[in-house]
Each structure stands twice: as C-alpha cells, then as structure tokens.
Amino acid sequence: MSLISKLPAQGTSIFTIMTHLAEEHNAINLAQGFPGFPCDPHLTDLAAHYIKEGNNQYAPSIGIPVLRKRISQMAELMHGVFYKPETEITITSGATEALYVAITAVVKTGDEVIIMEPAYDAYGPSVRLNGGVPVYVPLDENDFSIDWDRLEGVINEKTTLIIVNTPHNPSGYVWKKDDVDHLAKIISDKPIFVISDEVYEHIVFDKKEHYSLMRNPILRDKTFICSSFGKTLHVTGWKIGYCLAPEKMSKEFRKIHQYIAFSTATPLQYAIAAYLDDDSKYLELSAFYQKKRDIFCEGLKAYTPFKFTPAEGSFFQTVSYRHLSTENDFDLAVRLTKKAKVACIPNTAFYKDKSDLKVLRFCFAKDEAELELAISRLSYAVF
Ligand code: PMP
Ligand code: GLN
C-alpha cells in the first residue's frame, strides 16, 4: 500500500543534514542553531528539584499558572503590554508547536499565507499541511529589510495570514517601529491575521530594541506572538514555548493545542517559572551574545574574505561569498564541513525555490575558544 505524501517535495531538514555531516567529519557545528555551552546549573538544579518533588504528571493543557503569569510579567516589563495569563497565554511544546497550532487555527483550504524569504523552514510546510498556499515575498537581498511594495502587491481577498519573524532567522534583521506600524497600516481594515515568531526576542545588539508586534494596538488584536525559552535560557532541548494572543484567538488556539500536544513537560515549566523570579536572566542576554557576535565578526573580518554586515539580532551571522566563487552554497557548506571542519547552513535552505545568492549562515552561540578555532580554520579555507 502506498502512502500519498502530504509534503512530497520535502526532504530531511537542512539542520539534521548539516549536524550529521558535522558529527561525521568531526567539524565544529556552526550550522544548526543551538548553544554549544551548558545552561545555568541553577536551572538544571531547579528541574531536578521539581522532578524529585514529584511534579511528573500532566500539566494543565494551557500551562501551569505560575509560568503563564511570569510570561505576562515579562511582556509587560519588556513592552508595556498586558496579556491576561488566564485567557491569553498558552504554554506549548516549543515555538514549533505554537507556530503550527496558530497556523492551523487560521488557515483553511486555499487560503494564502504571506511568508517573507529567506524564512525559517517550518512555516511553509505547516501552511501546506493545513491546505494553505504559501506566497513568498523576498526580503531585500542586501540588508534583508522588507519590500513593502511587493508585500502589499500580493495581498488579495484570499490572504488570511502574514508570518513575521523578528529578530530574523537567518539574517538577524530586527523589525523597527516603522516596520511594525507599516504592517499595521496595510492590514488594519483587512481580515488578515499575523503570526509573529519572536524566539530571539531577548537577543538584539548595539543597543537596538526588539520592537514586538504586540506594541502596536492594531496588531495586538490580530497577532499570535510565538516564542520559546529554548534560546533565552540555553535549553533548546527542553522545547518549552508559548503563544500570546487575544482571548478569542487564544480560545481557538487552545482547542487545537489540546489535540496536538495537550500539555508540555510539567517539571520544566516549574523550573523555568522559578528561575524567572530573577529578570536579569533574560535582561542580560543581549550583552552576553553581543560579545560572541563581536568576536566572531571581528575574526571573520580580519581573517576571512567573506563580506557581511554584523547581525542586528539572533545568534546567526550570514556572510556573502558571491565575490569569491560561483560554487553553489550547499556544495560550499559541505566542502567547508569536510575540509575546513566548520559546518554552516547554506542559505538556499531558507528559500522555497532554493535561490542561491551565495550566502552562508553561521551560528555563533558557542564558547569563545570554539569561535576562535572556527575562524582560524575558515582562514585557511580555499574559495
Ligand atoms: N522559529 C525560529 C525562527 C527558530 O529559529 C526556531 C529554532 N529554534 C524555532 C522557531 C523553533 O523553536 P523551538 O525550538 O522552541 O520549537
Ligand atoms: N532553529 C534552529 C536553526 O535555525 C534549528 C531548529 C531545528 O533544528 N529544527 O538552526
């Protein structure tokens, strides 16, 4: 019996491919985005404590109250916007689940969903699994800013959702207040929802601020803000995410969440809630990562021929090699992994039609010594 694929064009994720290749060739893995250092031992102590204390049965489907309250306080502290923990905040199994559930809540067969490219790889497949049609709009090739004319040009009566990601993976672009207000203006009178993927919300550089879409009152009423503690607390393997959305939207979101995951790891929710008693845990994250970005970028500039603009946020740095070679980006990423022993992600992975602009993405969420070793290896690479 043959199973008809719902995602016929989809292969194994580039993150899995490059991580396997890095392991096979004993390369430094600057490909898949995850911290190469442990999280705070206080956080693991708390997790062990809550496990040993016996918090090992199902959490409430919407998440434990104390964690929802913490998230509400965090949003208020960061953005001055209040979300009701009882009705507007839901804990999910990572941002991946939050995104999938929000997409499922909105998208019906034939609906069009605008995705800006390059884009994180989960959006398109999640839209298609729900019968939706992703409509891709390219970001500016040089600085990854939004091409508003093109975006407005594709909006029509079938458009039901726009997916935003700020700070942006892979480019690091951070939405400015003007961007947020512009989006609000063009959809204010239209029945279009927004999903804002803000998983790198606490990682922004050079004193820039993360301007969440929740800050715009028009968008607050239309947007599912999806995020995750994976990046913020250096625990990508814990898969504890969350969604903030107005009550009516959260109601639909919660209906679907209860049949996709129902709930997520109870002791980890308690551990995170207790850990976040101290706001500095996330308030200091930008400075922590800025040091790494600066070390990595200074090394790239001094010892490699890549061209780049330092990322504004996230823990990724993209670099261009268009002036150096015509080799396709996947082949180059594989060659660098095998020969230079440094793995990265070819940027074509973030484009539906695999547009090859000769760009590579490196993750700098690593110890400084590892970043320096990676730079020294890259300095010997032949292009
Ligand atoms: N969105 C973006 C932009 C990401 O980079 C990632 C990767 N971590 C996710 C969503 C998924 O987050 P999580 O691991 O919490 O599911
Ligand atoms: N978000 C991570 C990245 O962009 C990887 C997540 C995953 O492996 N699916 O590299």
Side-chain angles (χ1 to χ4, degrees):
M1 220 169 75
S2 70
L3 179 64
I4 297 166
S5 176
K6 290 188 177 178
L7 296 173
Q10 218 68 41
T12 306
S13 132
I14 191 70
F15 307 117
T16 305
I17 292 173
M18 294 312 295
T19 287
H20 283 165
L21 200 69
E23 283 165 3
E24 190 186 332
H25 293 275
N26 203 16
I28 298 175
N29 188 356
L30 305 189
Q32 192 177 26
F34 63 89
F37 41 83
C39 67
D40 185 346
H42 178 46
L43 182 59
T44 45
D45 285 349
L46 284 166
H49 167 78
Y50 286 106
I51 288 172
K52 282 189 193 142
E53 239 198 3
N55 298 280
N56 297 310
Q57 307 310 329
Y58 293 126
S61 177
I62 62 175
I64 62 167
V66 64
L67 184 58
R68 283 182 281 112
K69 191 166 163 216
R70 280 273 166 271
I71 293 168
S72 173
Q73 287 167 339
M74 187 164 79
E76 212 169 359
L77 180 75
M78 299 299 296
H79 307 296
V81 181
F82 179 66
Y83 281 84
K84 289 192 215 100
E86 306 76 33
T87 50
E88 297 187 311
I89 298 176
T90 309
I91 312 297
T92 59
S93 291
T96 307
E97 195 224 343
L99 292 162
Y100 190 81
V101 171
I103 289 169
T104 306
V106 173
V107 176
K108 296 176 187 68
T109 307
D111 284 352
E112 292 188 5
V113 177
I114 298 176
I115 298 175
M116 285 162 256
E117 276 194 325
Y120 185 58
D121 72 337
Y123 310 146
S126 305
V127 168
R128 287 204 303 281
L129 284 170
N130 280 285
V133 182
V135 175
Y136 292 96
V137 175
L139 294 166
D140 183 277
E141 257 184 48
N142 297 309
D143 66 2
F144 298 98
S145 59
I146 301 108
D147 185 336
W148 290 107
D149 290 339
R150 281 185 90 150
L151 195 143
E152 280 192 71
V154 299
I155 293 179
N156 64 61
E157 65 289 342
K158 288 194 205 145
T159 310
T160 48
L161 179 65
I162 298 177
I163 301 182
V164 170
N165 171 211
T166 178
H168 184 250
N169 179 4
S171 74
Y173 183 86
V174 173
W175 275 46
K176 319 294 175 291
K177 179 178 186 302
D178 280 356
D179 294 323
V180 173
D181 292 347
H182 199 127
L183 178 66
K185 200 171 98 208
I186 63 178
I187 61 168
S188 63
D189 59 348
K190 298 186 175 67
I192 298 178
F193 289 96
V194 178
I195 289 177
S196 187
D197 177 348
E198 303 188 2
V199 298
Y200 302 99
E201 60 186 318
H202 299 295
I203 312 179
V204 284
F205 309 126
D206 305 319
K207 303 216 158 33
K208 293 204 170 62
E209 65 170 347
H210 162 58
Y211 196 89
S212 174
L213 269 63
M214 71 174 77
R215 289 209 206 177
N216 181 297
I218 294 167
L219 294 181
R220 192 212 181 278
D221 285 350
K222 286 170 162 281
T223 303
F224 296 90
I225 308 274
C226 298
S227 193
S228 167
F229 289 110
K231 324 287 160 176
T232 303
L233 304 180
H234 315 309
V235 286
T236 58
W238 283 20
K239 299 295 283 188
I240 307 287
Y242 45 95
C243 175
L244 296 86
E247 183 167 344
K248 278 191 186 154
M249 288 161 61
S250 285
K251 206 169 161 195
E252 283 307 306
F253 182 98
R254 289 172 171 190
K255 275 189 209 166
I256 297 164
H257 160 71
Q258 67 186 339
Y259 298 118
I260 289 190
F262 184 76
S263 64
T264 191
T266 313
L268 303 185
Q269 292 190 49
Y270 277 109
I272 291 174
Y275 189 72
L276 291 183
D277 269 348
D278 178 0
D279 295 328
S280 72
K281 303 295 185 200
Y282 56 87
L283 294 175
E284 288 167 6
L285 197 65
S286 288
F288 172 82
Y289 272 120
Q290 169 133 15
K291 212 166 150 215
K292 296 186 186 298
R293 185 210 61 172
D294 289 349
I295 287 170
F296 191 61
C297 286
E298 278 157 24
L300 283 176
K301 192 165 170 222
Y303 301 109
T304 76
F306 292 126
K307 282 193 179 155
F308 62 94
T309 307
E312 294 178 326
S314 83
F315 49 46
F316 301 113
Q317 180 63 50
T318 54
V319 302
S320 167
Y321 65 92
R322 204 190 306 198
H323 56 298
L324 299 170
S325 150
T326 54
E327 188 172 3
N328 81 53
D329 67 354
F330 182 75
D331 290 349
L332 178 57
V334 169
R335 197 160 64 77
L336 287 177
T337 308
K338 291 183 178 170
K339 297 272 159 48
K341 305 263 179 240
V342 179
C344 59
I345 298 287
N347 243 42
T348 45
F350 303 105
Y351 292 86
K352 167 73 176 31
D353 70 357
K354 304 275 172 256
S355 310
D356 188 356
L357 301 174
K358 313 294 176 205
V359 172
L360 302 172
R361 189 199 79 176
F362 292 92
C363 170
F364 54 79
K366 308 292 159 187
D367 281 331
E368 286 160 25
E370 198 171 23
L371 291 176
E372 274 158 9
L373 182 59
I375 292 290
S376 105
R377 290 181 179 181
L378 287 171
S379 71
Y380 294 110
V382 180
F383 297 98

